[in-house]
Amino acid sequence: MKGQHGVDWVETTFGWEPHWTMDPRVSDIEAVMKTTFQIPQDCNVVFIGQGALNKLYRVQYGNDSLLMRISLPVDPSSKTESEVATLHFIRKNSNLPVPRVQAYNSSRSDPIGFEWILMNLMPGMPLQERWRSISWPAKEAIVEQLAGFSASMYRRQFRAIGNIYPNPKRPDLSTLEIQRIVSMQFFWGDHLSQAVSRGPFQSSQEWIAARLSLNEADSERILRHSSDEDEREDAETTLRIIQRLRNHLPEFFPTKGIERTMFFHDDLSQQNILVDKDGNLTAVVDWECVSALPLWKACQCPAFLQGRDRNDEPIRDAYGRSKNGDANDLFWEHWLEYEFTRLRSFFLKKMYKLECGWIDVFRSSQKQRDFDLAAQNCDNPFCFRTIHAWLDDVEQKKEPMRGLSERLQE
């Protein structure tokens, strides 16, 4: 499927994937660097990796090293401008170390031909690569810093669901405002071309209804064009779940005026948290598509701490050994669950001391988070049976013994 300049969407077994139709040229990056920064000496540009939507380049000149992230135009201009404003807001309103933006271009108006952000190259390695080697106090210190960040965001609430942008009349970023949402679900595949509201949303009900409409359009397209019986059956099941969820939207999310929201980095994974060799937090990266979301959604543990509870410490000798004599993979899987269970408790205790209001929202919002999880997975065949069973309990007015998230983990 043809997308914007530079990107095609390719349908795979697991859904749509973005593909670059052309690569940025190092010579063009060097030319823009010299023009933008008037660098007198040669700069060295090296490709260092890529993600689903970006290519990363290290830019070195003199003793300085910067990171240029060049993006596919999946949500032209909006994704770049929102991320720049978000990084500015986080730097100004929290103590979390995040990259400083040196320059950016949210159009294709220079020789590079893609949107880009030039930022400080942050030190450290992904937490995932250091986890086993760092001390327990270091792990607690990281979690404590993330709790401080959550508290600082809770204290700086907004009145709409969406993304933050520079005020067009104040391009110096001194004034920021919430506008249309930049979210993967809203631009993935052909979603950018669909006539669905993109906000800013004034309520959770509006936001979730728009997301369900996107899933509905996907399923209806399958029924129109696909002859695969399994695909058609899954699409019909998705439509039934969507209708059931819509019936309960006002019940779970009654509209009571404008809703309070806060920034929430929903991908605080170990890959996006950088630490030094001793486990000291050096940066949190990957702030694209970070939105102001309802408090019930935002007041939850960081993503890397979420998962199955394991309160009993795994005993290494009870597990088999790998070929090199170390404990096997199952032990380490259970050990991580045990550590994350302890750290979740530690995080919540810190939040209780820092912001009781955050804890009150967290404790009272499980039903809303379950509904959101059902909406998020309404087109996932592996979740159909569990979501239907959860909806049965809702409609029969049963008080579920377990939330949907707990059921899906089983």
Side-chain angles (χ1 to χ4, degrees):
M1 179 179 64
K2 191 68 176 176
Q4 300 289 328
H5 167 83
V7 59
D8 278 348
W9 290 93
V10 177
E11 192 166 14
T12 70
T13 305
F14 302 103
W16 294 102
E17 290 184 0
H19 281 229
W20 297 74
T21 61
M22 55 185 293
D23 288 324
R25 295 190 304 182
V26 167
S27 59
D28 291 331
I29 299 173
E30 292 173 345
V32 169
M33 284 294 299
K34 292 175 182 178
T35 302
T36 302
F37 292 94
Q38 299 179 345
I39 300 172
Q41 70 270 38
D42 290 338
C43 64
N44 184 31
V45 176
V46 179
F47 173 76
I48 58 175
Q50 71 180 75
L53 305 175
N54 310 290
K55 289 182 183 288
L56 306 177
Y57 297 82
R58 180 186 291 110
V59 179
Q60 293 178 300
Y61 60 97
N63 295 321
D64 295 318
S65 290
L66 299 173
L67 178 71
M68 177 172 279
R69 203 182 70 203
I70 300 177
S71 297
L72 285 170
V74 291
D75 195 346
S77 298
S78 296
K79 187 169 80 69
T80 295
E81 291 179 7
S82 173
E83 183 173 3
V84 168
T86 298
L87 284 167
H88 177 81
F89 180 87
I90 299 301
R91 288 183 61 85
K92 184 178 179 181
N93 293 286
S94 80
N95 293 322
L96 207 62
V98 299
R100 180 188 296 275
V101 175
Q102 301 293 336
Y104 71 97
N105 189 345
S106 60
S107 71
R108 306 195 311 269
S109 61
D110 62 35
I112 293 175
F114 290 92
E115 300 174 35
W116 53 266
I117 301 176
L118 186 70
M119 61 189 84
N120 288 15
L121 183 62
M122 303 300 285
M125 296 285 289
L127 179 59
Q128 185 174 20
E129 299 178 23
R130 300 282 193 192
W131 187 260
R132 290 192 195 178
S133 64
I134 63 177
S135 68
W136 182 255
K139 295 172 182 177
E140 287 188 328
I142 293 169
V143 171
E144 185 169 5
Q145 283 180 271
L146 296 177
F149 168 69
S150 293
S152 64
M153 293 299 99
Y154 183 83
R155 297 173 191 136
R156 292 164 176 82
Q157 295 178 13
F158 299 95
R159 305 285 288 179
I161 300 167
N163 280 56
I164 199 168
Y165 295 85
N167 186 320
K169 298 179 180 179
R170 303 292 295 274
D172 60 354
L173 298 176
S174 60
T175 305
L176 303 172
E177 55 186 24
I178 298 290
Q179 291 296 331
R180 70 191 295 277
I181 198 163
V182 178
S183 169
M184 284 194 181
Q185 185 177 5
F186 281 82
F187 62 65
W188 205 258
D190 69 344
H191 288 184
L192 197 63
S193 64
Q194 293 186 17
V196 172
S197 173
R198 298 168 196 282
F201 303 102
Q202 301 304 310
S203 69
S204 294
Q205 191 175 136
E206 290 180 16
W207 175 50
I208 294 176
R211 292 161 54 196
L212 291 175
S213 293
L214 290 168
N215 291 119
E216 181 179 48
D218 290 342
S219 294
E220 289 175 344
R221 184 184 64 247
I222 289 171
L223 292 176
R224 285 195 306 270
H225 300 295
S226 176
S227 59
D228 184 289
E229 288 302 320
D230 290 336
E231 280 191 349
R232 294 179 63 84
E233 184 179 346
D234 288 346
E236 289 170 351
T237 303
T238 295
L239 289 174
R240 287 195 293 272
I241 291 175
I242 289 172
Q243 187 54 56
R244 295 183 77 182
L245 290 172
R246 279 185 175 146
N247 292 340
H248 294 286
L249 253 178
E251 171 191 342
F252 278 75
F253 303 100
T255 54
K256 298 179 180 179
I258 297 176
E259 194 165 357
R260 292 184 300 157
T261 65
M262 60 180 273
F263 264 138
F264 176 58
H265 192 317
D266 63 353
D267 191 21
L268 272 177
S269 65
Q270 288 187 309
Q271 194 64 29
N272 290 331
I273 299 170
L274 305 185
V275 297
D276 64 18
K277 61 182 179 61
D278 297 317
N280 299 306
L281 182 65
T282 59
V284 175
V285 298
D286 197 4
W287 290 87
E288 63 181 352
C289 304
V290 171
S291 309
L293 299 179
L295 298 188
W296 60 261
K297 175 73 172 180
C299 293
Q300 57 179 305
C301 296
F304 82 98
L305 292 182
Q306 297 177 19
R308 191 191 308 270
D309 284 335
R310 184 169 295 277
N311 295 301
D312 296 328
E313 179 178 347
I315 306 303
R316 187 186 297 251
D317 291 342
Y319 294 78
R321 298 281 176 174
S322 63
K323 292 181 179 179
N324 63 7
D326 193 9
N328 64 21
D329 291 341
L330 183 61
F331 168 79
W332 288 113
E333 178 184 333
H334 289 176
W335 183 261
L336 274 179
E337 290 176 352
Y338 172 67
E339 286 194 315
F340 290 160
T341 300
R342 294 175 62 193
L343 289 170
R344 274 197 300 276
S345 176
F346 180 79
F347 177 85
L348 294 174
K349 287 178 182 177
K350 289 297 177 181
M351 290 306 305
Y352 181 80
K353 292 182 180 179
L354 292 168
E355 275 297 338
C356 289
W358 188 102
I359 283 290
D360 290 341
V361 173
F362 171 78
R363 289 175 174 171
S364 63
S365 301
Q366 185 59 54
K367 289 182 178 180
Q368 287 78 16
R369 290 195 294 272
D370 281 345
F371 191 101
D372 178 71
L373 192 59
Q376 181 180 329
N377 289 281
C378 68
D379 60 349
N380 184 343
F382 296 104
C383 300
F384 286 163
R385 185 185 300 273
T386 306
I387 293 174
H388 272 306
W390 175 78
L391 281 165
D392 289 342
D393 286 349
V394 169
E395 291 167 0
Q396 294 169 21
K397 306 298 182 182
K398 290 182 179 179
E399 190 64 32
M401 297 297 292
R402 296 164 298 138
L404 181 59
S405 59
E406 187 178 351
R407 298 184 192 194
L408 289 174
Q409 288 172 13
E410 294 178 349

